[in-house]
Amino acid sequence: MDDLLRIDDGLSEEQRLIRDTVKTFVADRILPHVGDWFEEAVFPARELGPVLGSLGVLGMHLEGYGCAGLDAVSYGVACRELEAGDSGLRSFVSVQGSLAMFPIWKYGSAEQKEEWLPRMAAGEAIGCFGLTEPDHGSDPANMRTHAKQDASGDWILNGAKMWITNGSIADVAVVWAQTEDGIRGFVVPTDTPGFSAPEIHKKMSLRASVTSSLYFDDVRLPASAVLPGVRGLKGPLSCLSEARFGILWGVVGAARACLEAAVGYATTRVQFGKPIGGFQLTQEKLAWMYVGLGQSQLTALHLGRLKDAGTLTPQQVSFGKLANVRAALDIARRSRAILGGNGITLEYPVIRHMTNLESVLTYEGTEEIHLLTLGRALTGLDAFH
Ligand code: TGC
Ligand code: FAD
């Protein structure tokens, strides 16, 4: 589909190369299968992990330890092309790079970094991020999971997490817990006795993605398991800023895939003697979708440049997550309508993207959380509590 605003012309040669490489990977390795994975509710993580690792997209914005060390716009472009395949694929990459590798890279000890980052960058070890709990989603400050040091100095971790992407397939979990010293992060090998991670089934969204609960039943960890470099809620929230950045780019890809499907359908499906794309009501839908897509792309590129300049704020990330997910869902829903009855089958990508985007609207801060963040930025008044 034509990039009317020529937004990608603003990308560097290297960024365009990354775009084309990831796009080709998605066309060859993901699109032929992802409808079946979605229907069967599987994500072949062990098979895809090393391939994604060799593509260089796992922790691609981090320096050293086998990571590609690329700029934020490059990371964003990669997320966009991955999510044009499926939000579950981008989720896998977001969780691995931004939520599991990033806290180890930013706040971990030298030993934690050496132990986990090279294997995670290569896709040989899979990570997950445990913040949300059954009773504490939007309000993680009140989490119940807790860790206490015993006389030997070991940490004893107890509690439960819910809705954890990659949970039951992970080799390592970054778990946030209350301690006597406030919220701390723990690097938990998933084969530690007392750790369990049953998969959550019956999802109607993000079906090509593994989602699990995590349970910690007197999980004994060495003193060295804690992330030494951060204390307090700002630890996990800073990771969320990284992952939300990937989402605000990623959903542009899902939206583009939906618009492309709608244009293709509208120009070939004939009713009342002409292609349905020839009716003004269809063109109005398509034109608004094009406007929404272009605005989202501009927002993503602008925020990417701010991130590369080192000035991106959490409020700006909330703006992008809120605006771009809303735009993508609107585009997906309009596309689904244009496809008529065919819009509800997995023969076309639209219903898959549309239902995936319902999760994306909720995770990494619900729409309401980002609205309240912008409300607080505008008024200086806290309406969360
Ligand atoms: P608040 O008082 O606002 O902040 C507490 C401390 O954190 C600092 N802070 C940040 N620091 C770094 N980066 C950020 N983005 C930060 N945002 C806030 C803040 O300055 C403060 O620091 P200090 O030093 O003063 O203590 O905290 P609050 O309790 O009022 O809560 C604010 C709120 C509601 C915005 C926050 O709790 C929130 O974002 N809630 C939403 C929870 C959420 O998004 N969970 C996501 C879980 S992970 C997930 O969904 C993965 S999806 C996986 C996939 O992609 O597949
Ligand atoms: P709640 O917080 O209970 O919210 C329910 C409703 O109340 C929402 O509409 C919300 O916006 C609204 N609400 C809450 N507080 C307010 C308020 N103050 N004002 C107005 N409205 C409010 N978490 C992780 O830690 N790691 C993961 O890897 C992960 N992966 C996920 C994968 C999937 C597929 C899904 C669906 C979720 C995932 N999550 C993960 C959890 C996700 O971050 C939470 O679902 C999300 O933060 C919302 O929490 P909740 O579901 O408990 O909803």
Side-chain angles (χ1 to χ4, degrees), residues 1 24-25 51 57 114 116 122 141 146 167 179 203 242 253 291 344:
M1 193 177 61
T24 302
F25 161 77
V51 185
V57 297
E114 288 297 345
W116 290 108
H146 59 277
T179 70
K203 288 183 301 170
E242 296 295 308
V291 169
I344 70 153

Side-chain angles (χ1 to χ4, degrees), residues 275-296:
I276 58 170
F279 296 117
Q280 289 180 354
L281 285 174
T282 308
Q283 289 197 3
E284 188 198 23
K285 287 190 190 69
L286 292 172
W288 280 122
M289 290 152 73
Y290 213 6
V291 169
L293 181 67
Q295 289 174 331
S296 304

Side-chain angles (χ1 to χ4, degrees), residues 196-375:
S196 58
E199 191 171 347
I200 296 173
H201 297 289
K202 301 194 178 183
K203 288 183 301 170
M204 296 305 289
S205 169
L206 276 185
R207 287 175 60 77
S209 173
V210 174
T211 316
S212 315
S213 298
L214 307 183
Y215 296 112
F216 319 108
D217 183 8
D218 283 334
V219 174
R220 178 175 288 274
L221 300 164
S224 59
V226 73
L227 291 172
V230 74
R231 277 153 218 252
L233 194 59
K234 64 176 180 286
L237 293 186
S238 64
C239 304
L240 297 186
S241 282
E242 296 295 308
R244 289 167 179 170
F245 175 78
I247 289 175
L248 70 89
W249 271 92
V251 294
V252 174
R256 189 188 71 209
C258 289
L259 179 54
E260 282 172 354
V263 170
Y265 196 82
T267 48
T268 51
R269 171 73 175 173
V270 174
Q271 289 293 289
F272 298 99
K274 66 176 185 179
I276 58 170
F279 296 117
Q280 289 180 354
L281 285 174
T282 308
Q283 289 197 3
E284 188 198 23
K285 287 190 190 69
L286 292 172
W288 280 122
M289 290 152 73
Y290 213 6
V291 169
L293 181 67
Q295 289 174 331
S296 304
Q297 279 185 283
L298 285 170
T299 299
L301 186 59
H302 176 64
L303 296 181
R305 289 187 170 146
L306 292 182
K307 187 161 167 56
D308 278 326
T311 63
L312 187 67
T313 65
Q315 293 74 22
Q316 290 166 337
V317 173
S318 279
F319 180 105
K321 204 264 179 183
L322 176 71
N324 285 9
V325 175
R326 169 55 48 184
L329 248 180
D330 185 54
I331 290 168
R333 287 170 180 162
R334 286 178 197 249
S335 298
R336 206 226 50 77
I338 288 172
L339 267 65
N342 281 318
I344 70 153
T345 81
L346 289 173
E347 297 299 319
Y348 294 85
V350 175
I351 189 81
R352 180 168 51 76
H353 283 300
M354 194 189 95
T355 61
N356 283 341
L357 287 167
E358 293 291 344
S359 284
V360 182
L361 187 81
T362 287
Y363 70 33
E364 294 284 0
T366 63
E367 184 165 73
E368 289 76 12
I369 289 300
H370 295 295
L371 286 166
L372 294 176
T373 298
L374 295 191

